[in-house]
Amino acid sequence: MDNAEQKNANEEAPSVIDRYFTRWYRADMKGKACEDHCILQHSNRLCVITLAETHPVLQEGRTVKSINYQISNGCSRLNNKVTGKSKRGGQFVTDFAPLCRITCSDDTQYTIYSCIRGRLLEVNENILKTPNLLLEKPSTEGYIAVILPKFEESKSITENLLRREEFEEIVSKRGQSHPP
Amino acid sequence: MLPLKEKDKPIIQKLLAAGCCARCILRFCCLSVQAAYRQPAQETMKELKAFIAVKENTKHQESVALPSTQENNGSYDAAASEAPADPPSKRAKLDPSETAAQTGESAAGQLEESRVCVVCLGILQHLCGTEQATKISETVKKEKYEFDTLVLSVSLPAQLCVREHSCWLHVKKEVREKGLVLDKDDVIQVKEAFKWIMQGLVAKELKGVAVVSKSMFEIGLEFIHLETDSDCHFLAKSCPDCFRPTKNKQSVFTRMAVVKALEKISDATFLQHYPCPPPQPASCCLPLDVQCLHMSVFIAGRYNKFCRSLPQTPWVIDGERKMESSVEELIAAPILSAFRADGFNFSSSGREDVDVRTLGNGRPFAMELLNPHRSRLTKVDMKQLQEEINTLSDKIRVRDLQMVTREAMSHMKEGEEEKTKSYMALVWTQKPIQREDIVFIDDIKDLILDQKTPLRVLHRRALAVRQRVVHSMSTRFVDSHHFYLGLKTQAGTYIKEFVHGDFGRTKPNLCQLLKTDVDILELDVESVDVDWPPAIPE
Ligand SMILES: [Zn+2]
């Protein structure tokens, strides 16, 4: 660590996400305008599902009233339990499986989807206690869920997703003034 | 002169007729005099034939000449007063009543010599002698093994047990009449007789190396006999329990399974399905290549890792090599060639990430060396080996390199969780900081963390929340966005995750403590507090 003293404060801010993850996107989820999802894929194939910065929930002035992982009468993502290295017992989700519903204080409701096929490993219980995490740190502490794709599908699951540049192009064409 | 008794005669007669070789006959006579097996098989055969030709009326003379098996242990040579070397034909003249039988046997005698034994399938006949001993010693010499003693391990075809059983049933009555307490267990095993013959020969070929029953060095001899492999098959029907298919065994008819089945099967059932005595084979057993194996030796030491692009073990993703080297390969290469070992297993007290350095006294490691051809390295040799490793690469450094026992290796893993480790991390903060903003960290003691299995390892480890303790921390301010963080933690604490928080999955984390985003730029392991292996003074 000899050269560390010369480290300069202006250097670009490092980021855990950029170091280990690739960002993938789904725009206008299920045809609903701007309901964009961001999928962070780790180099070990595991995926973290988050809201894209452009998602309506994250727009100016909105607050979250509640988050509900009970996606139907019979199914709550909170009951998901995985055991062992092989993650037995985890719910298997497909691209359009709902993960949770977010209700904003103006009573608008949004469904967040899994975006990829794989085994649900965990959902983020922290956002139930502190919904503000979702607004303040949507791509880290405010994540929605962690999904582990099948080993043999770890490359193919991202085929239907958008790369960052592709996503940014779509966003810029919306002619809105979202910050990138 | 064989120490046989009158009561052995019916056994010998029956077995000769059945097509047993001379040594197998000695086995069924329960003769435990090793030297008797070592004499040439043809001579033994001659003696046996002569012995049964001597009529009952010579019993008086014989009982003097041939002491009983029980009281005799190799001293029978002294009693060789009689001369049974007379050819049967000569004696036949003395006893005209037996002429026909004797000449008949004599004519068949030549054939018998070449006939393969129905019990040992030729192993005690043609496959244990000087020729085989020479072959074994040549293999051993060629591979240049270093050893003080050796053990012969013999693997025989499983059907030999079936044939042995059949033969036992054939002479059971006679054997029991010979001695009331004698039973199947008293019959000398093929393997045992084989070793009695071969051990001495091999030792002689290898210039006096002791052949013992337990040794670090094993010579494996295996025999197969395809012609009679089906001998065992009837057992599967009468005792299906004994022959359950297992994943890694090619055939269900293992020796163990066959022995078990033979213990269970009734004599009547056995005799229904298998001839008694066993049928005559056409061919002799086939010896497979001689296999040498030296038991593993173990070495241990500590290593430093000075490079931030060196994984601990070879890093392969989708069958593709990611980094050109690894800690274990840099350490192992010189060691493997010094011990001339076939392979190794590497283990260590924890491990560091590819981008983490390990400084200080280093991290304890141990290696099992598989089939080492060389095993007698002195302390000086080990010191030289250590220096060689250290000269070959400046990415790592090894100290305290020494030979250890298999048992001692467990010290390394013992109580690993309770041990402490010290780290130094270079931390980046998003918000600008001043010296006084971070000093509070120095006062935090025994901070308990709840760590979910980090995302970076979650694909291969179980999901769990583990409690880990950060015993103490110390800070050193660098500039408005950087500081050094020293940590002393319980082993098993994920340091990187404690710093950046891992999506809030480690709590508390440094982001929370400092109320800003932080990241870890560099990490060093400064010490691994495991006091094994013992330090070796420079
Ligand atoms: Zn034999």
Side-chain angles (χ1 to χ4, degrees):
Chain A
M1 301 212 163
D2 356 295
N3 61 344
E5 311 290 344
Q6 298 131 31
K7 290 232 183 264
N8 123 29
N10 302 331
E11 81 185 303
E12 211 169 291
S15 149
V16 174
I17 295 177
D18 292 333
R19 210 160 350 122
Y20 300 116
F21 294 84
T22 310
R23 292 170 207 257
W24 298 93
Y25 295 86
R26 251 186 213 281
D28 308 314
M29 178 60 87
K30 292 201 132 187
K32 292 180 184 164
C34 302
E35 291 192 25
D36 308 327
H37 289 46
C38 175
I39 301 96
L40 303 172
Q41 186 172 32
H42 195 278
S43 52
N44 68 16
R45 88 175 185 271
L46 183 141
C47 294
V48 181
I49 312 302
T50 68
L51 298 184
E53 301 269 344
T54 47
H55 196 282
V57 169
L58 303 179
Q59 302 322 305
E60 255 353 89
R62 303 196 86 147
T63 51
V64 174
K65 191 158 117 190
S66 69
I67 299 161
N68 195 351
Y69 279 110
Q70 180 90 38
I71 45 119
S72 68
N73 287 338
C75 182
S76 169
R77 300 303 186 193
L78 290 172
N79 295 334
N80 190 71
K81 287 275 175 310
V82 293
T83 53
K85 286 180 188 175
S86 57
K87 317 291 186 303
R88 283 182 308 277
Q91 298 167 7
F92 196 85
V93 294
T94 50
D95 296 22
F96 298 106
L99 293 174
C100 68
R101 289 184 224 289
I102 300 171
T103 310
C104 292
S105 34
D106 57 7
D107 281 334
T108 48
Q109 207 184 60
Y110 300 92
T111 302
I112 312 302
Y113 296 91
S114 56
C115 305
I116 53 154
R117 285 164 54 80
R119 195 176 290 279
L120 185 63
L121 298 192
E122 66 177 48
V123 296
N124 188 0
E125 296 186 28
N126 293 337
I127 55 174
L128 298 179
K129 279 167 262 159
T130 321
N132 259 356
L133 284 176
L134 198 61
L135 304 179
E136 286 163 11
K137 301 192 165 180
S139 56
T140 56
E141 286 184 56
Y143 72 97
I144 303 294
V146 179
I147 295 173
L148 183 65
K150 287 183 178 175
F151 183 78
E152 60 275 22
E153 292 178 354
S154 55
K155 295 251 171 7
S156 62
I157 43 132
T158 53
E159 277 168 10
N160 300 321
L161 304 177
L162 300 168
R163 301 184 162 278
R164 192 173 191 173
E165 315 79 66
E166 295 170 319
F167 175 69
E168 278 167 359
E169 206 182 313
I170 289 176
V171 171
S172 68
K173 280 182 187 158
R174 282 175 186 160
Q176 296 175 355
S177 54
H178 293 311
Chain B
M1 190 59 208
L2 299 167
L4 294 166
K5 288 193 300 180
E6 190 58 31
K7 282 186 172 172
D8 287 319
K9 277 192 180 167
I11 305 173
I12 299 169
Q13 263 153 349
K14 271 189 117 168
L15 293 179
L16 269 178
C20 282
C21 74
R23 284 163 174 161
C24 280
I25 294 172
L26 298 183
R27 296 194 299 111
F28 278 94
C29 292
C30 306
L31 184 67
S32 58
V33 180
Q34 297 191 16
Y37 294 86
R38 293 192 191 119
Q39 71 178 35
Q42 297 93 319
E43 242 164 73
T44 306
M45 186 54 101
K46 267 187 212 161
E47 283 191 44
L48 287 173
K49 284 180 181 169
F51 175 61
I52 54 166
V54 177
K55 288 209 71 177
E56 187 74 34
N57 56 20
T58 59
K59 191 181 176 185
H60 171 71
Q61 182 197 354
E62 181 214 334
S63 63
V64 177
L66 301 171
S68 76
T69 331
Q70 278 81 359
E71 45 196 58
N72 182 294
N73 266 308
S75 62
Y76 69 94
D77 294 55
S81 57
E82 212 196 9
D86 289 355
S89 55
K90 193 174 169 188
R91 228 175 300 123
K93 279 174 201 158
L94 301 173
D95 191 343
S97 67
E98 277 196 61
T99 308
Q102 288 297 333
T103 42
E105 250 176 53
S106 181
Q110 302 310 105
L111 262 176
E112 264 164 31
E113 294 296 291
S114 57
R115 259 190 358 202
V116 175
C117 171
V118 296
V119 194
C120 70
L121 300 173
I123 287 169
L124 296 180
Q125 255 178 323
H126 308 297
L127 298 171
C128 57
T130 324
E131 195 186 317
Q132 283 70 35
T134 309
K135 204 172 120 193
I136 291 168
S137 75
E138 270 167 11
T139 310
V140 175
K141 282 179 192 160
K142 201 171 69 205
E143 298 207 29
K144 294 197 176 66
Y145 275 97
E146 205 177 67
F147 57 96
D148 303 311
T149 60
L150 69 88
V151 60
L152 277 184
S153 109
V154 184
S155 167
L156 303 173
Q159 60 267 34
L160 239 59
C161 302
V162 175
R163 291 180 164 260
E164 186 89 356
H165 193 67
S166 159
C167 202
W168 161 250
L169 295 181
H170 188 54
V171 294
K172 181 162 125 176
K173 194 174 131 270
E174 288 78 6
V175 173
R176 286 191 174 148
E177 272 168 15
K178 171 174 145 77
L180 278 179
V181 291
L182 290 179
D183 210 337
K184 194 181 173 186
D185 292 343
D186 296 295
V187 172
I188 306 299
Q189 294 192 356
V190 175
K191 212 178 257 188
E192 204 165 350
F194 180 87
K195 286 183 183 174
W196 287 346
I197 300 161
M198 290 300 287
Q199 281 176 340
L201 294 175
V202 172
K204 205 170 133 199
E205 290 282 338
L206 291 171
K207 308 228 162 18
V209 167
V211 183
V212 293
S213 57
K214 261 193 182 160
S215 169
M216 291 284 279
F217 182 56
E218 178 187 289
I219 296 177
L221 305 170
E222 187 176 355
F223 299 94
I224 55 164
H225 196 253
L226 299 177
E227 182 195 335
T228 58
D229 264 352
S230 57
D231 278 3
C232 303
H233 293 181
F234 76 96
L235 288 169
K237 281 185 207 111
S238 50
C239 188
D241 284 2
C242 300
F243 302 97
R244 300 239 176 268
T246 52
K247 267 184 204 161
N248 33 14
K249 286 274 176 341
Q250 282 182 319
S251 159
V252 293
F253 297 101
T254 61
R255 197 178 168 84
M256 284 251 281
V258 169
V259 167
K260 212 171 131 198
L262 289 171
E263 277 166 11
K264 286 190 173 181
I265 197 168
S266 73
D267 291 357
T269 317
F270 183 91
L271 292 171
Q272 263 172 31
H273 294 96
Y274 196 81
C276 174
Q280 177 68 49
S283 61
C284 181
C285 270
L286 184 70
L288 299 183
D289 286 343
V290 177
Q291 299 287 333
C292 299
L293 183 69
H294 195 289
M295 271 164 72
S296 298
V297 296
F298 298 86
I299 60 170
R302 288 186 173 74
Y303 73 80
N304 290 126
K305 170 173 168 310
F306 300 122
C307 176
R308 292 198 192 280
S309 55
L310 183 69
Q312 195 209 36
T313 50
W315 193 8
V316 178
I317 296 176
D318 297 338
E320 206 184 305
R321 187 70 199 253
K322 283 297 171 194
M323 300 249 178
E324 64 180 28
S325 191
S326 67
V327 172
E328 70 163 40
E329 285 165 290
L330 291 175
I331 297 177
I335 291 176
L336 281 186
S337 66
F339 284 83
R340 289 190 288 121
D342 287 353
F344 67 91
N345 291 314
F346 186 91
S347 62
S348 61
S349 179
R351 61 191 298 163
E352 62 282 306
D353 293 337
V354 57
D355 55 353
V356 172
R357 299 189 303 179
T358 296
L359 310 175
N361 275 335
R363 185 186 296 280
F365 71 92
M367 278 172 82
E368 173 180 12
L369 302 176
L370 306 171
N371 196 13
H373 289 47
R374 220 190 136 197
S375 54
R376 293 187 291 215
L377 275 80
T378 63
K379 283 182 181 170
V380 176
D381 293 334
M382 290 304 282
K383 181 108 192 153
Q384 273 172 6
L385 183 53
Q386 176 174 305
E387 270 159 31
E388 193 193 335
I389 298 168
N390 292 339
T391 321
L392 284 171
S393 174
D394 50 13
K395 292 178 176 173
I396 56 145
R397 192 186 143 78
V398 168
R399 79 186 73 215
D400 304 334
L401 194 70
Q402 56 195 283
M403 299 197 61
V404 297
T405 61
R406 183 193 287 269
E407 293 72 35
M409 276 181 65
S410 60
H411 296 315
M412 197 175 68
K413 299 276 174 189
E414 245 165 46
E416 209 174 44
E417 298 269 293
E418 283 74 48
K419 306 288 179 184
T420 60
K421 297 199 179 182
S422 303
Y423 300 90
M424 184 61 75
L426 178 60
V427 177
W428 168 88
T429 65
Q430 187 204 24
K431 276 193 219 156
I433 49 163
Q434 293 184 318
R435 275 171 207 279
E436 51 270 33
D437 294 333
I438 55 171
V439 288
F440 77 97
I441 293 174
D442 297 37
D443 298 327
I444 299 173
K445 295 285 174 266
D446 293 324
L447 180 68
I448 296 171
L449 311 181
D450 288 319
Q451 287 203 303
K452 276 191 188 154
T453 307
L455 290 175
R456 70 186 156 96
V457 297
L458 185 57
H459 62 300
R460 55 183 166 88
R461 299 217 181 128
L463 176 60
V465 183
R466 294 180 187 84
Q467 278 208 337
R468 292 289 185 262
V469 183
V470 177
H471 298 299
S472 62
M473 290 185 275
S474 61
T475 54
R476 184 156 63 85
F477 181 84
V478 176
D479 62 38
S480 58
H481 286 279
H482 299 91
F483 70 95
Y484 279 118
L485 177 67
L487 307 103
K488 206 171 158 79
T489 72
Q490 182 185 355
T493 309
Y494 291 104
I495 305 300
K496 290 177 178 172
E497 280 69 18
F498 167 65
V499 174
H500 62 59
D502 197 26
F503 291 68
R505 297 169 76 261
T506 286
K507 287 187 291 188
N509 56 56
L510 206 57
C511 302
Q512 291 175 329
L513 295 176
L514 286 166
K515 299 189 179 65
T516 174
D517 275 357
V518 303
D519 196 5
I520 182 163
L521 304 181
E522 286 175 0
L523 180 63
D524 290 337
V525 178
E526 302 241 285
S527 83
V528 182
D529 302 334
V530 174
D531 49 16
W532 187 90
I536 293 178
E538 291 294 314

